[in-house]
Amino acid sequence: MTTSYLDLNAQLAILGKDGEIQTDKDKEAARQYFLQHVNQNTVFFHTLEEKYEYMTENGYWEPFRIPFDDAKELFKYAYSFKFRFPTFVGAYKFYTSYATRTFDTGKYLERFEDRVVVASIALTGNYNEAHALIRGILMGWFQPATPTFLNAGKAYGGEMVSCFLLRVDDNMESIGESIKHSLQLSKRGGGVALSLTDLREEGASIQNVPGASSGVVPVMKILEDSFSYANQLGARQGAGAVYLHAHHPDILKFLDTKRENADEKIRIKTLSLGVVIPNITFELAREDKDMYLFSPKDVFNEYGKPLSEIGVTRHYSKMVNNPRIHKKKINARQFFQTLAEIQFESGYPYIMFEDTANNTRQTGKKIIQSNLCTEILQSSESTLYDTDGEIFFLGKDIQCNLGSMNIDKVMEFPERISEVVYSAVNALTKVSLSSNLGIVPSIEHGNLSTRAIGLGQMGLHGYLARKHVHYGSPESLEFVHAYFASVRYHALAASVELAREIGWYEGFWDDAERIKEQLAKYERNDYSPISEAGKRLCEGLYIPDRYDWISLIEDIMEYGLANAYLLAVPPTGNISYVNGATPSIHPVTSPVEIRKEGKMGRVYYPAPHLSKDTLPYYKDAYELGYKPVIDTYAAATQHTDQGLSCTLFFKDTATTRDLNKAQIYAWKKGLKTLYYVRIRQQALEGTEVKECLSCSL
């Protein structure tokens, strides 16, 4: 009698007779999944011609953008790899999340190779570029984010874009348009983050009527309902986040919405929360002083700038002493205590370190918020409306186009890193250029102006374990510095090459001196490893020296950059499973991860290269503690022009003081953002974790 694929997968939780983890049983589970389920539920076609005709005529695929004979060669090339999913979960995730199915969802119409080819043709429109992208994906070097891989080349469905960021100004026209735009963007499959910092607080006056304002919480409730309603054809739940500045008068009410015992009238269940914290808040807490909260309406009236743009650290004393700005005060340490309490209960809020993010930015405009997964840090401009809701100044909001390289797989062929990075940057730039989001003019304007992309990374812990190196060790940090510096160099070089083809992004010459200033450290510092262990980790990887950087910076100043933003490290979820990688650059939560997958129940995902030999190097995130994680992210942050999704993990013995210590440590180490807080108790028994469904998938 044949063993079911679920039973085979479950044997990962049981050690074999020799004490080995039974990863061979999981590979057999993947094979049996095809035999017992996939093959029986896949529509069979005799030829590619027959399949193409069926898929295009029935509205599943868009017509290919290259000659059919060229496409046929690409399909032949893709199938020559004889791709096999390394794990059962990887195969399961592909067929449940990505493969095109008949409209009644009863039968599969694509294999992995089909999805790769169709997406690659759609992303490039060019035989040679598609060939390179197919190679990169099937070799495991690069994987587009979920919306891109899911929707590219399909005749229906959502956009290929992962996430969007919207500014909300302090007037009903902006609030109303932001809600409408959130519905439209969520419908198209993207996660949406909104900055509420500039909305006047509860009890503020409206048109000289005292106490008329309801503050930010009612807007949050409307947004939460909007995201619950608008999903991508029912395939993915809408995902939204709201950010508020720590010195906004509604900040405690904002945080209280996530308390488990909050009144249902204000409780926020599914909307993600983020807090923007400037340096001054930490300084006040260190000195055990009160922190003042400033009325956004009064700040704008006094300075002609909204609170989000004012730079609270710089102007704090001046605003405290200004009698025309209404303010109230709370104890700074109590604020951080409340922050930690809410994180214990819910994992929220995310944190953006305002001054760190802005002191290292490459563009001239202030960064006021991040996204659902805290890796996007870009400038934006408000859209201005007249009283009839018509636009009289079109601002710039943010979309980002994401994909991630697999460090473990790339380092099997480190000499090809330039090729991999160029192919990825080119593909993600094509996503930006092919977006069709005129329904939200500010997003379209911002995207066309910046061509922003976010090339991320995953598989770090898998690579370190394969090399028998502990996560967070000095030699691992040497590798992170060298690897991320190399990726940044090649990404910038790719953007220069694209600029010579399609021109520089709008505003490049306004940013040129700041870019040159931010890259000057590569002329001064050598990021090559010093230790022998670090050198072994970097074996075969070309690490650009100061002369390479000098030459590249000269090219940038001559030809410009095609992209205002190039690098961001999202959390990665489903794409890590499909790719057979450890997620993002954080440590594993368990060498064998337990997941709950709806009706499927528990499934098990083994870390790459898992064996008795590598198991000691797979110390899990809860046991490692926050310092090795923050140290790793701090090293990578120095070579990333945007942010990184850094989740912090704590044992169930942790206290709110431990969370506050971690926040301070992250701030001092130069992180720009913090993502979720996870307590081990929340992760026991395979408890399902609901994370951002845009970047992390």
Side-chain angles (χ1 to χ4, degrees):
M1 183 177 177
T2 304
T3 307
S4 76
Y5 52 83
L6 286 176
D7 288 339
L8 287 164
N9 172 253
Q11 291 186 46
L12 278 170
I14 305 169
L15 292 178
K17 292 180 181 179
D18 57 355
E20 281 282 4
I21 298 166
Q22 301 187 81
T23 53
D24 58 321
K25 297 293 185 182
D26 186 57
K27 289 182 171 59
E28 179 60 25
R31 287 192 290 269
Q32 288 300 322
Y33 178 61
F34 276 84
L35 292 172
Q36 297 172 18
H37 174 73
V38 174
N39 294 347
Q40 297 175 22
N41 291 282
T42 298
V43 177
F44 175 77
F45 298 95
H46 292 88
T47 64
L48 180 61
E49 288 85 352
E50 180 186 350
K51 183 167 191 166
Y52 179 70
E53 182 178 347
Y54 176 88
M55 298 295 280
T56 53
E57 289 186 359
N58 287 281
Y60 293 106
W61 286 350
E62 295 176 343
F64 293 153
R65 296 167 57 197
I66 62 175
F68 182 80
D69 286 345
D70 287 349
K72 195 171 183 177
E73 285 299 312
L74 292 176
F75 274 92
K76 183 179 178 181
Y77 175 64
Y79 274 93
S80 73
F81 281 82
K82 300 187 184 302
F83 175 84
R84 297 292 181 271
F85 286 100
T87 67
F88 161 71
V89 170
Y92 172 77
K93 283 293 183 183
F94 172 74
Y95 280 98
T96 55
S97 300
Y98 300 99
T100 300
R101 290 180 281 181
T102 55
F103 289 124
D104 63 5
T105 69
K107 297 288 184 180
Y108 301 115
L109 293 168
E110 289 179 327
R111 298 268 179 167
F112 185 72
E113 293 90 343
D114 299 329
R115 181 91 300 266
V116 170
V117 175
V118 172
S120 297
I121 291 173
L123 290 174
T124 62
N126 175 287
Y127 176 86
N128 290 330
E129 292 177 1
H131 192 279
L133 187 55
I134 289 166
R135 177 185 177 86
I137 296 174
L138 288 171
M139 290 293 290
W141 297 336
F142 171 72
Q143 181 66 42
T146 284
T148 307
F149 196 52
L150 173 65
N151 293 316
K154 290 185 179 178
Y156 66 93
E159 284 287 327
M160 295 187 288
V161 182
S162 296
C163 63
F164 306 94
L165 292 82
L166 299 173
R167 296 176 66 121
V168 187
D169 289 338
D170 189 31
N171 57 75
M172 196 62 74
E173 291 75 27
S174 179
I175 294 169
E177 289 298 307
S178 297
I179 292 167
K180 181 181 79 173
H181 292 160
S182 295
L183 283 164
Q184 292 291 347
L185 295 170
S186 184
K187 165 187 169 183
R188 287 161 172 78
V192 187
L194 303 98
S195 171
L196 304 184
T197 292
D198 297 328
L199 301 187
R200 67 192 71 188
E201 73 278 14
E202 181 182 356
S205 64
I206 300 177
Q207 296 182 355
N208 297 319
V209 178
S213 173
S214 299
V216 302
V217 174
V219 177
M220 294 163 64
K221 294 292 287 184
I222 295 171
L223 287 168
E224 179 167 63
D225 290 341
S226 299
F227 288 118
S228 297
Y229 180 74
N231 55 47
Q232 190 178 344
L233 300 177
R236 305 169 68 227
Q237 289 298 311
V242 287
Y243 279 79
L244 194 71
H245 200 282
H247 290 262
H248 189 287
D250 283 351
I251 187 62
L252 293 182
K253 294 183 178 71
F254 177 83
L255 293 174
D256 283 344
T257 63
K258 278 294 182 183
R259 289 193 185 275
E260 291 178 357
N261 61 352
D263 189 294
E264 286 300 315
K265 292 180 181 179
I266 68 163
R267 189 179 178 196
I268 295 295
K269 297 177 182 178
T270 59
L271 196 66
S272 301
L273 306 188
V275 176
V276 179
I277 305 180
N279 288 350
I280 187 67
T281 319
F282 286 96
E283 293 164 7
L284 292 168
R286 181 176 58 206
E287 298 168 8
D288 197 16
K289 291 183 176 179
D290 289 333
M291 56 184 280
Y292 281 87
L293 314 178
F294 305 103
S295 169
K297 176 176 174 288
D298 294 341
V299 169
F300 184 82
N301 290 340
E302 283 297 298
Y303 297 104
K305 283 185 175 183
L307 178 62
S308 63
E309 293 186 2
I310 201 68
V312 171
T313 295
R314 180 182 176 188
H315 294 278
Y316 183 77
S317 296
K318 192 184 298 183
M319 291 193 294
V320 167
N321 294 318
N322 188 333
R324 292 182 296 276
I325 297 178
H326 286 84
K327 59 188 74 71
K328 62 181 181 179
K329 62 184 179 180
I330 59 176
N331 181 266
R333 288 188 180 177
Q334 185 56 48
F335 163 73
F336 280 104
Q337 171 71 19
T338 301
L339 200 71
E341 289 173 2
I342 303 300
Q343 287 179 326
F344 251 103
E345 290 188 28
S346 66
Y348 299 101
Y350 311 146
I351 293 174
M352 174 182 139
F353 300 110
E354 180 180 41
D355 294 305
T356 309
N358 280 284
N359 291 341
T360 58
R361 74 185 190 273
Q362 288 187 182
T363 62
K365 299 288 185 179
K366 188 170 183 286
I367 298 165
I368 69 167
Q369 67 176 115
S370 188
N371 65 319
L372 280 119
C373 302
T374 73
E375 83 279 15
I376 301 305
L377 295 169
Q378 300 178 18
S379 300
S380 59
E381 290 182 43
S382 290
T383 295
L384 305 180
Y385 301 90
D386 62 25
T387 54
D388 294 324
E390 297 296 322
I391 295 172
F392 69 84
F393 177 81
L394 181 59
K396 297 176 183 177
D397 282 313
I398 299 163
Q399 77 172 50
C400 202
N401 319 290
L402 301 172
S404 292
M405 294 165 59
N406 182 344
I407 296 170
D408 185 29
K409 297 288 181 66
V410 169
M411 288 306 296
E412 290 179 0
F413 301 89
E415 70 280 0
R416 292 190 174 274
I417 192 168
S418 175
E419 168 193 329
V420 176
V421 172
Y422 177 83
S423 178
V425 168
N426 181 57
L428 295 178
T429 302
K430 294 290 176 63
V431 173
S432 173
L433 293 172
S434 63
S435 294
N436 181 22
L437 285 163
I439 192 70
V440 185
S442 59
I443 290 286
E444 183 176 58
H445 186 208
N447 173 60
L448 293 176
S449 299
T450 64
R451 303 178 191 138
I453 66 171
L455 178 59
Q457 302 293 330
M458 57 185 171
L460 174 63
H461 199 176
Y463 177 61
L464 296 175
R466 174 162 69 88
K467 290 291 188 176
H468 291 191
V469 171
H470 291 287
Y471 184 98
S473 63
E475 57 267 34
S476 77
L477 299 181
E478 287 185 336
F479 169 76
V480 170
H481 271 294
Y483 178 86
F484 274 81
S486 180
V487 169
R488 187 176 196 179
Y489 174 87
H490 291 300
L492 287 164
S495 192
V496 169
E497 190 169 336
L498 285 172
R500 298 176 72 170
E501 298 173 17
I502 63 175
W504 52 78
Y505 72 85
E506 181 183 309
F508 167 77
W509 295 109
D510 295 330
D511 298 333
E513 285 305 312
R514 180 181 285 275
I515 292 170
K516 187 176 181 180
E517 178 185 326
Q518 291 294 326
L519 297 179
K521 65 183 179 183
Y522 295 104
E523 298 181 37
R524 301 189 299 267
N525 302 317
D526 183 0
Y527 292 99
S528 300
I530 298 173
S531 70
E532 289 303 315
K535 290 175 181 177
R536 284 194 296 273
L537 282 172
C538 294
E539 189 174 357
L541 177 68
Y542 181 74
I543 304 164
D545 60 25
R546 63 184 302 269
Y547 300 104
D548 293 317
W549 280 101
I550 290 170
S551 178
L552 175 60
I553 293 168
E554 289 174 353
D555 286 345
I556 292 171
M557 293 301 107
E558 181 174 356
Y559 301 110
L561 293 171
N563 316 85
Y565 305 91
L566 288 162
L567 305 168
V569 179
T572 72
N574 278 2
I575 66 170
S576 296
Y577 300 124
V578 170
N579 200 268
T582 52
S584 191
I585 64 168
H586 66 65
V588 297
T589 54
S590 174
V592 177
E593 182 185 349
I594 307 171
R595 294 186 57 86
K596 283 187 177 179
E597 294 290 344
K599 294 179 181 179
M600 187 74 72
R602 288 188 184 184
V603 294
Y604 301 83
Y605 178 73
H609 320 294
L610 187 59
S611 68
K612 279 199 303 185
D613 290 338
T614 60
L615 185 59
Y617 302 94
Y618 271 123
K619 191 174 182 180
D620 72 58
Y622 299 98
E623 292 298 321
L624 275 169
Y626 63 82
K627 286 190 176 181
V629 177
I630 291 173
D631 290 345
T632 299
Y633 274 79
T637 293
Q638 293 186 39
H639 312 286
T640 305
D641 59 10
Q642 295 185 73
L644 304 91
S645 298
C646 180
T647 296
L648 298 182
F649 303 87
F650 296 88
K651 296 179 181 180
D652 53 10
T653 56
T655 65
T656 54
R657 181 171 173 79
D658 294 320
L659 269 63
N660 287 151
K661 285 181 178 179
Q663 293 159 358
I664 294 168
Y665 188 72
W667 171 61
K668 288 183 175 179
K669 293 290 287 188
L671 267 64
K672 301 174 188 177
T673 59
L674 288 174
Y675 191 32
Y676 283 104
V677 165
R678 293 292 181 221
I679 311 298
R680 184 184 283 279
Q681 187 176 10
Q682 299 168 347
L684 293 177
E685 301 300 322
T687 302
E688 184 178 8
V689 175
K690 294 182 178 179
E691 295 189 349
C692 165
L693 295 180
S694 54
C695 311
S696 71
L697 290 186

